[in-house]
Amino acid sequence: AVLYGLHNVFSKAAAGARSAAGAGIADVHGALVVEVAAVLSIALYFLLFARSGSWNAAPRAYVWSAVAGLCAGLGTIAYFAIFTRGGELSTAGPIVLLGGVAIMSIAGLVVFGEPLTVKKALGLALGAAGIYLLKSSG
């Protein structure tokens, strides 16, 4: 959570610098730098700690991993676009993250058959209320 939170702060800093000082990074360039840095950090981790891991996974696991990567890359471009167009970290960031929570929760329930508990339903309702309040505040 800390690392993802910092990712959002630093993305806003890179994109927001463009509007504040005229020297920030363009959407696709910022996304490219983020994703290349992510690949390098994963490669370093792999080289240092995970070399002995098994590559024996079902082919569909690799396909789903690639699709997740495509979503991350396109999502990063869109995220930078929000900030380079003046989106506020204090509202746009939580809206994006809460929207992701909603998508994950629905997928967990519908696709993966996870149970819906009263606490989970209440959490989803509060998340939806949070999105509404943040969206209507700006």
Side-chain angles (χ1 to χ4, degrees):
V2 170
L3 292 173
Y4 277 116
L6 290 173
H7 156 74
N8 294 310
V9 171
F10 297 138
S11 294
K12 170 63 178 177
R18 182 177 194 182
S19 59
I25 198 163
D27 307 343
V28 71
H29 298 144
L32 182 63
V33 170
V34 167
E35 298 301 334
V36 167
V39 166
L40 292 175
S41 65
I42 293 167
L44 181 63
Y45 179 87
F46 177 79
L47 291 173
L48 293 176
F49 303 110
R51 287 183 294 194
S52 62
S54 173
W55 285 85
N56 187 20
R60 70 176 176 264
Y62 293 103
V63 171
W64 288 125
S65 294
V67 171
L70 289 171
C71 290
L74 294 172
T76 302
I77 295 168
Y79 203 56
F80 268 87
I82 290 169
F83 293 136
T84 59
R85 287 160 180 75
E88 295 179 349
L89 179 62
S90 60
T91 54
I95 288 171
V96 169
L97 294 175
L98 286 170
V101 167
I103 290 168
M104 290 181 281
S105 297
I106 292 167
L109 298 170
V110 175
V111 176
F112 297 104
E114 297 171 358
L116 177 63
T117 64
V118 172
K119 284 185 179 181
K120 212 180 273 187
L122 181 60
L124 290 170
L126 290 172
I131 290 173
Y132 172 78
L133 290 172
L134 288 167
K135 179 70 175 140
S136 64
S137 73

